[in-house]
Amino acid sequence: MDCRWKGIIEAYRDYLPVSEITPVISLHEGNTPLIKANNLSRVISPDKNLQIYLKYEGLNPTGSFKDRGMTMAISKAKEAGKEAVICASTGNTSASAAAYAARAGMKAYVILPKGAVALGKLSQAMVYGAKIIALMGNFDDALTVVRDIGENYPVEVVNSVNPYRIEGQKTAAFEICDFFGFAPDFHFLPVGNAGNITAYWKGYKEYYTIGKVKSTPRMVGFQAEGAAPIVKGFPIKNPQTIATAIKIGNPYSWQSALQAAKESDGLIDAVSDEEILNAYKLVASTEGIFCEPASAASIAGVIKLSKRGVFKGDEVIVCTLTGNGLKDPDTVIKASEKPVELPPDTVEIAKFLGLE
Ligand SMILES: *Cc1c(COP(=O)(O)O)cnc(C)c1O
């Protein structure tokens, strides 16, 4: 691997709709680690020797996989001469759009569901200089407004309705295949607006078609139970979940997510908030990896399917950890014991630690 990594557009230029005249707006996104999770695997299934790997997308420049799509969307908007971009967001799209727009010298407008965005993400949109609207409505309402504005005003929509987002995000599948030299057996990921599962499946299929890999993974997407329109088969008016990044009731890429599951012999299913929180704490405490609650839906999904007896043993399983846990510290602080307060007394502290 070239250590002078220049971002996903330079790395995968041949597979992306860019040309020499495309101004590449990059923060050197991508090239995220694929971490083997042996401890997690032993806890989930001691006897199956599952080869679980975590694609840690929280290490992207703004802390989520959205940067892969945003480098493409913003570069193409710049190429088209656009001066402003707009998005609806549960937080990460707005953080990413604001950062890349700043780098491109463009304006960013972001519409967020009021009171439903993790503080870290809100602070990012603020510091990157976006114009922010807290909408009195949910994500689905925000996306409707954004698409209206995109149709009627000279502003580029950079939600995953923008096909360049999907193009950029498919590079994560390329990285995984390049790492192994083959495709995994299973790929698990959280599903919100369903752009990412669509993008990964597109990436795997493209590598398969050109002969870079000889198989494709079974695509397994997990929604949160209180925000599971694809599983239930109808839009959810008031989606509810602690995993705010996937709190979406009417996903834009609904049909392509179903298609990815069907074509790959995979599935879309749901996990409860409790299962999500357990998986969230488990991956942190067994592997030292802090992801967002929504990200942990992928691991909760592996646990669920393992209990259901889906795995025979030795399967290569990739989970995408979509975002960085530092964006949403409130969730873990609320769910944890407060630190004990003690005076600076060595003996007393040693006693408390059980060393005396
Ligand atoms: C955007 C996001 C998701 C959901 O991805 P979709 O493409 O909308 O399905 C999941 N987790 C995190 C952290 C996200 O930012």
Side-chain angles (χ1 to χ4, degrees), residues 116-191:
V117 170
L119 274 188
K121 303 177 188 182
L122 183 60
S123 73
Q124 286 181 289
M126 287 173 168
V127 78
Y128 297 134
K131 190 161 266 184
I132 305 169
I133 293 165
L135 188 77
M136 294 177 274
N138 62 26
F139 172 84
D140 302 286
D141 301 324
L143 186 56
T144 303
V145 173
V146 160
R147 294 180 71 190
D148 267 353
I149 289 181
E151 271 166 34
N152 294 300
Y153 301 90
V155 185
E156 189 74 3
V157 176
V158 293
N159 282 102
S160 53
V161 305
N162 181 323
Y164 297 122
R165 282 274 311 277
I166 305 296
E167 290 298 314
Q169 286 169 212
K170 77 184 179 188
T171 60
F174 296 164
E175 287 179 17
I176 290 164
C177 295
D178 289 341
F179 176 92
F180 288 126
F182 54 82
D185 298 310
F186 287 85
H187 193 115
F188 282 72
L189 68 174
V191 171

Side-chain angles (χ1 to χ4, degrees), residues 63-66 90-93 121 139 160 165-166 169 189-198 245-246 248 251 292-295 321-324 327:
S64 85
F65 74 83
K66 300 297 199 298
T90 60
N92 282 333
T93 299
K121 303 177 188 182
F139 172 84
S160 53
R165 282 274 311 277
I166 305 296
Q169 286 169 212
L189 68 174
V191 171
N193 217 17
N196 213 25
I197 190 169
T198 301
I246 52 172
I248 293 176
E292 283 191 45
S295 310
L321 297 185
T322 45
N324 196 309
K327 285 169 171 276

Side-chain angles (χ1 to χ4, degrees), residues 59-144:
L59 293 188
N60 274 298
T62 77
S64 85
F65 74 83
K66 300 297 199 298
D67 294 342
R68 292 179 185 274
M70 208 54 75
T71 183
M72 276 297 302
I74 299 287
S75 296
K76 293 302 284 188
K78 187 83 182 167
E79 182 180 343
K82 298 282 166 63
E83 288 171 3
V85 299
I86 189 166
C87 66
S89 182
T90 60
N92 282 333
T93 299
S94 61
S96 189
Y100 283 80
R103 196 145 164 92
M106 297 164 86
K107 286 201 188 85
Y109 307 130
V110 310
I111 305 192
L112 307 172
K114 184 174 166 239
V117 170
L119 274 188
K121 303 177 188 182
L122 183 60
S123 73
Q124 286 181 289
M126 287 173 168
V127 78
Y128 297 134
K131 190 161 266 184
I132 305 169
I133 293 165
L135 188 77
M136 294 177 274
N138 62 26
F139 172 84
D140 302 286
D141 301 324
L143 186 56
T144 303

Side-chain angles (χ1 to χ4, degrees), residues 285-307:
S285 61
T286 61
E287 301 289 359
I289 296 173
F290 190 18
C291 65
E292 283 191 45
S295 310
S298 60
I299 292 168
V302 174
I303 296 171
K304 184 164 181 174
L305 294 204
S306 173
K307 284 184 184 154

Side-chain angles (χ1 to χ4, degrees), residues 35-55 275 278-289 291 295-296 298-303 306 317-321:
I35 305 168
K36 184 131 191 251
N38 289 337
N39 300 334
L40 187 66
S41 168
R42 270 192 295 274
V43 174
I44 292 176
S45 176
D47 52 335
K48 289 272 163 70
N49 194 33
L50 299 177
Q51 310 289 305
I52 301 176
Y53 288 83
L54 308 173
K55 184 67 170 160
E275 289 171 294
N278 285 339
Y280 168 73
K281 288 189 213 153
L282 186 65
V283 65
S285 61
T286 61
E287 301 289 359
I289 296 173
C291 65
S295 310
S298 60
I299 292 168
V302 174
I303 296 171
S306 173
I317 300 168
V318 173
C319 293
T320 300
L321 297 185

Side-chain angles (χ1 to χ4, degrees), residues 5-17:
W5 179 264
K6 295 198 186 74
I8 60 121
I9 295 181
E10 293 306 348
Y12 293 108
R13 177 173 275 281
D14 294 349
Y15 305 90
L16 294 169

